[in-house]
Amino acid sequence: MDPSPYYSSPPAKSKTLGVVAFIVGLVVIVFSVIASVIVGNLLGSILKPGSTFSQGFQAGATSTDPRVAFGGLLVVVQLLLGTGLGVWAFVQGIVAVRSDRGRGWGIAAIVIAAIAPVLSLIVYIAVGAVVQAATH
């Protein structure tokens, strides 16, 4: 009797779970940064230099400029979709790492999903500041 069938290694697990988490995380970070550039550009050109957050919020709330409405809508979409997809990528990355179904891809997805909101905020502030300084 040949013992090899009883000692064979288990079939390799699919890496699809980790790859999908990575792709979702990549989509989140790319589109979040693009949205931050657009919103920073739109809203940075409207605010006056030295205005506080509340002054900027008040100016945006009473503005009739269509760019403000578009920027506000883009921020809402970015927050809803970015948060939802970012959490999805983060959790799915953890599951991929834990279940060894694309561990490397899962780790990359976790890192990207964690970095995306911070990078997006930095880009938004930097673009808004540069545009504000250039236009006023």
Side-chain angles (χ1 to χ4, degrees), residues 30-54:
V30 167
F31 284 110
S32 182
V33 168
I34 290 170
S36 292
V37 168
I38 294 169
V39 172
N41 192 13
L42 288 173
L43 300 182
S45 63
I46 295 169
L47 298 178
K48 295 177 182 172
S51 61
T52 64
F53 177 78
S54 61

